[in-house]
């Protein structure tokens, strides 16, 4: 029912996390398509090469209201369209079909195509906003013709003066919904890790991250996207330099703990982080509806004492173990919401909306992929909404979860040093610390998840352009205001 993120095992890991890509073909056979509709063959005489895709067991394609939705699994990546080997297109009363090869057809509803026209009259090339009124499209709109052209599918619509839309082939593949195709973004691979990450923790140099060309900044954020955390070495051990580093990503997310924090064990804020106590592996802000995306820490000093080591655990790695070894527990952690609160300050009492909270393991409702871990057993509120028959099972499930979290195979302990900043994806990697004594000064900040993902998307357009950007950059009026109007994110 739920799927682990697309992962590649880190060499030397004790366990290989396999991501099974079931290929599902909705493709109606070519003969069926050719019988029922007008066919337009590409201008070139040459037919498309016949590429057959292994069609292994297909996930159930339908889901009833009572069952959890089955998620479209992605057909493996199609090759880019070549000008001398254009797709076959056909249309019937409702849809245009595009034959990528004899086994893989995509079907697009006429109304869907018209709604997604990106000509300058329908789509503002600078603001990337829709300009025309979707609701003026006749429900039964049918194109005058749909043709295969070198740079895409050309559709001519009936109107006073004919309206022509062009849909680049790579864009049609990326946005194919029947069947889903090419959904994974180029930089979208995650590498799950256990304690062995200590052999080569992802690290970038401060001067690279601060360099104006943003290449080092991209490397830093790409590390975070891939591993869920990254160190930055060579940072001046001052709050000012740390704050400046944080704002290289985006503006800091201010909370009841302030904007940029510079804290020690003086209970200046009503939270055990402001004590010398050990903190078990947790994610922050489980009491917010939207927990912060990133969390930066920089140990500025620790004198007259010992301890205060930092703990990191890859929540996605531990979840993949739970999924394999304890599937029932995984399912309960994915279904039962957990309430939380931050109530240590007289002036604030935070609880998420809805107050019942969110499950420990959060999934993408379309793909079924694990996208968020929310776990802080210290901040957890009363479990007063759980059905009686699940109480003991849920406690068994969190006991197994905790056992996996605290396993030596999962834990990565590191003693932070002044000059090394760590940034953690708070939706994936749990952090904690050992107890300590003496004077310990830590500074850092939260960055919002949307801000982090926005910066990564902008940098990825620049340093790792995807197939759509690469294949459409020569189409006139496509690259405006530094952004491709066909970007996969729009
Ligand atoms: C602001 N600073 C990061 C120092 C402390 C945040 C408090 C941590 C809180 N118990 C939580 O889990 O969200
Ligand atoms: O003091 C530390 O090393 C980390 C504290 C912590 O876990 C937090 O502030 O969320």
């Amino acid at each position: 029912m739920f799927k682990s993120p697309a992962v590649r095992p880190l060499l030397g890991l004790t366990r290989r996390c396999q991501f099974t890509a079931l290929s599902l073909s909705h493709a109606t056979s070519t003969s069926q398509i050719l019988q029922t509709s007008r066919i337009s063959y590409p201008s070139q005489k040459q037919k498309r090469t016949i590429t057959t895709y292994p069609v292994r067991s297909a996930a159930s394609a339908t889901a009833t209201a009572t069952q959890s939705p089955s998620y479209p699994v992605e057909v493996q990546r199609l090759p880019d369209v070549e000008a001398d080997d254009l797709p076959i297109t056909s249309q019937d009363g409702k849809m245009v079909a595009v034959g990528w090869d004899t086994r893989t057809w995509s079907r697009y509803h006429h109304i869907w195509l018209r709604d997604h026209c990106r000509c300058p009259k329908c789509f503002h090339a600078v603001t990337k906003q829709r300009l025309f009124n979707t609701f003026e499209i006749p429900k039964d709109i049918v194109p005058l013709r749909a043709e295969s052209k070198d740079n895409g599918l050309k559709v001519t619509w009936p109107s006073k003066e004919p309206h022509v839309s062009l849909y680049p082939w790579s864009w049609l593949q990326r946005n194919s919904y029947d069947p889903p195709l090419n959904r994974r973004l180029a930089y979208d691979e995650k590498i799950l890790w256990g304690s062995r990450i200590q052999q080569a923790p992802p690290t970038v140099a401060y001067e690279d991250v601060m360099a104006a060309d943003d290449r080092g900044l991209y490397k830093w954020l790409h590390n975070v996207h891939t591993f869920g955390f990254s160190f930055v070495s060579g940072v001046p051990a001052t709050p000012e330099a740390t704050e400046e580093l944080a704002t290289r990503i985006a503006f800091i997310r201010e909370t009841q703990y302030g904007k940029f924090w510079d804290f020690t064990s003086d209970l200046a804020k009503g939270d055990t982080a402001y004590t010398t106590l050990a903190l078990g592996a947790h994610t922050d802000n489980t009491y917010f509806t939207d927990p912060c995306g990133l969390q930066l820490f920089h140990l500025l000093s620790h004198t007259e004492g010992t301890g205060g080591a930092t703990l990191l655990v890859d929540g996605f790695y531990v979840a993949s173990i739970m999924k394999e070894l304890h599937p029932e527990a995984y399912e309960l952690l994915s279904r039962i919401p957990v309430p939380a609160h931050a109530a240590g300050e007289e002036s604030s009492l935070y609880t998420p909306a809805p107050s019942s909270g969110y499950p420990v393991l959060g999934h993408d409702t379309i793909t079924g992929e694990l996208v968020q871990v929310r776990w802080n057993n210290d901040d957890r509120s009363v479990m007063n909404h759980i059905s009686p028959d699940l109480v003991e099972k849920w406690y068994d499930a969190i006991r197994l979860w905790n056992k996996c979290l605290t396993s030596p195979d999962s834990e990565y302990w590191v003693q932070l040093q002044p000059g090394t900043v760590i940034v953690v994806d708070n939706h994936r990697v749990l952090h904690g610390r050992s107890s300590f004594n003496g004077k310990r000064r830590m500074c850092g900040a939260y960055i919002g998840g949307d801000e982090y993902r926005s910066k990564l998307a902008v940098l990825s357009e620049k340093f790792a352009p995807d197939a759509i950007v690469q294949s459409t950059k020569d189409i006139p009026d496509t690259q405006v205001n530094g952004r491709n109007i066909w970007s996969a994110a729009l």
Side-chain angles (χ1 to χ4, degrees):
M1 184 174 76
F2 297 106
K3 200 166 56 176
S4 306
V7 298
R8 177 162 58 90
L10 183 66
L11 295 183
L13 265 190
T14 50
R15 55 169 274 104
R16 294 176 62 77
C17 320
Q18 296 301 328
F19 167 61
T20 312
L22 292 177
S23 69
L24 170 73
S25 164
H26 284 290
T28 308
S29 70
T30 303
S31 56
Q32 259 183 305
I33 288 260
L34 298 183
Q35 274 158 18
T36 57
S37 51
R38 274 180 285 144
I39 308 297
S40 86
Y41 285 96
S43 46
Q44 280 77 5
K45 292 288 165 277
Q46 184 183 356
K47 279 203 177 202
R48 276 184 67 67
T49 45
I50 294 179
T51 319
T52 53
Y53 285 85
V55 180
R56 291 190 289 276
S57 62
S60 68
T62 52
T64 57
T66 49
Q67 283 170 337
S68 52
S70 74
Y71 302 99
V73 289
E74 75 179 65
V75 172
Q76 288 179 2
R77 193 176 171 68
L78 287 171
D80 295 343
V81 170
E82 304 294 337
D84 62 353
D85 184 16
L86 295 178
I88 300 170
T89 56
S90 75
Q91 69 180 87
D92 60 16
K94 263 206 178 302
M95 302 182 197
V96 171
V98 175
W100 306 110
D101 59 46
T102 52
R103 290 181 63 87
T104 312
W105 286 77
S106 294
R107 277 178 295 272
Y108 305 90
H109 290 76
H110 296 156
I111 190 161
W112 185 93
L113 285 167
R114 181 63 191 85
D115 184 43
H116 289 98
C117 177
R118 297 218 156 154
C119 78
K121 279 189 269 166
C122 295
F123 190 80
H124 198 296
V126 171
T127 69
K128 313 298 186 282
Q129 292 169 293
R130 181 174 280 100
L131 287 175
F132 81 101
N133 182 348
T134 298
F135 312 105
E136 285 173 1
I137 306 174
K139 269 187 73 169
D140 56 356
I141 187 170
V142 176
L144 295 175
R145 56 188 165 281
E147 302 159 275
S148 270
K149 296 295 180 188
D150 284 3
N151 51 14
L153 172 70
K154 179 184 173 188
V155 178
T156 307
W157 301 102
S159 54
K160 284 188 280 305
E161 70 280 357
H163 187 112
V164 176
S165 305
L166 177 77
Y167 306 91
W169 296 121
S170 56
W171 183 88
L172 283 171
Q173 283 185 359
R174 172 77 175 72
N175 293 294
S176 171
Y177 54 89
D178 179 11
L181 295 172
N182 297 14
R183 280 296 158 88
R184 201 160 301 296
L185 288 173
Y187 61 84
D188 207 11
E189 189 178 48
K190 298 191 188 311
I191 295 176
L192 308 189
W193 48 267
S195 58
R196 294 190 187 187
I197 191 74
Q198 65 189 317
Q199 294 166 8
T203 305
V204 290
Y206 172 71
E207 64 271 13
D208 293 344
V209 174
M210 300 306 286
D213 70 359
D214 284 351
R215 187 171 294 279
L217 178 58
Y218 170 66
K219 174 86 182 99
W220 184 28
L221 296 189
H222 189 257
N223 274 355
V224 175
H225 188 81
T226 306
F227 295 96
F229 79 100
S230 179
F231 291 110
V232 181
S233 59
V235 184
T238 67
E240 295 76 16
T242 310
E243 181 168 3
E244 190 189 6
L245 177 68
T247 54
R248 283 286 285 146
I249 302 172
F251 50 82
I252 287 172
R253 176 164 162 185
E254 191 165 8
T255 66
Q256 68 272 35
Y257 307 113
K259 197 172 173 206
F260 185 79
W261 353 283
D262 186 343
F263 68 101
T264 185
S265 51
D266 59 2
L267 261 187
K269 293 287 182 186
D271 188 279
T272 47
Y274 297 76
T275 71
T276 60
L277 293 170
L279 299 173
H282 67 279
T283 60
D284 272 25
N285 309 157
T286 48
Y287 39 81
F288 287 157
T289 307
D290 171 30
C292 75
L294 301 183
Q295 193 163 354
L296 280 92
F297 286 112
H298 190 181
L299 180 68
L300 295 178
S301 63
H302 186 180
T303 54
E304 303 161 39
T306 57
T310 293
L311 167 64
L312 298 178
V313 179
D314 182 354
F316 282 16
Y317 172 67
V318 173
S320 69
I321 294 169
M322 288 287 292
K323 188 167 187 293
E324 211 160 289
L325 302 183
H326 311 293
E328 302 79 24
Y330 183 96
E331 200 277 331
L332 282 181
L333 295 176
S334 303
R335 182 156 55 94
I336 294 178
V338 177
H341 61 264
E345 297 287 298
E346 230 173 278
S347 56
S348 61
L349 203 179
Y350 283 93
T351 55
S355 60
S356 53
Y358 294 83
V360 176
L361 302 177
H363 293 78
D364 180 318
T365 53
I366 300 291
T367 64
E369 275 186 300
L370 176 65
V371 292
Q372 186 172 9
V373 172
R374 295 169 77 117
W375 179 252
N376 185 326
N377 204 47
D378 298 347
D379 295 3
R380 177 165 56 83
S381 309
V382 177
M383 295 291 288
N384 59 14
H385 55 280
I386 188 168
S387 60
D389 61 312
L390 291 179
V391 172
E392 292 173 312
K393 287 186 186 127
W394 187 76
Y395 277 100
D396 289 345
I398 61 170
R399 193 182 300 279
L400 284 168
W401 168 245
N402 183 62
K403 185 162 172 266
C404 291
L405 281 179
T406 56
S407 143
D409 170 57
S410 304
E411 293 190 334
Y412 166 39
W413 284 95
V414 54
Q415 182 62 57
L416 294 183
Q417 299 296 334
T420 298
V421 164
I422 184 164
V423 68
V424 173
D425 175 348
N426 184 56
H427 284 206
R428 167 181 169 183
V429 172
L430 298 92
H431 64 280
R433 79 171 177 221
S434 59
S435 62
F436 64 91
N437 52 39
K439 295 188 183 115
R440 182 176 183 268
R441 186 183 170 198
M442 179 73 89
C443 74
Y446 290 134
I447 301 283
D450 292 343
E451 285 70 36
Y452 153 59
R453 281 186 295 277
S454 166
K455 178 60 84 176
L456 178 59
V458 168
L459 294 174
S460 300
E461 276 181 334
K462 182 176 173 186
F463 295 107
D466 64 20
I468 294 179
V469 172
Q470 293 182 38
S471 64
T472 57
K473 61 185 183 308
D474 302 329
I475 300 177
D477 307 324
T478 292
Q479 197 77 15
V480 181
N481 202 22
R483 171 140 312 122
N484 188 305
I485 63 168
W486 298 103
S487 162
L490 304 182

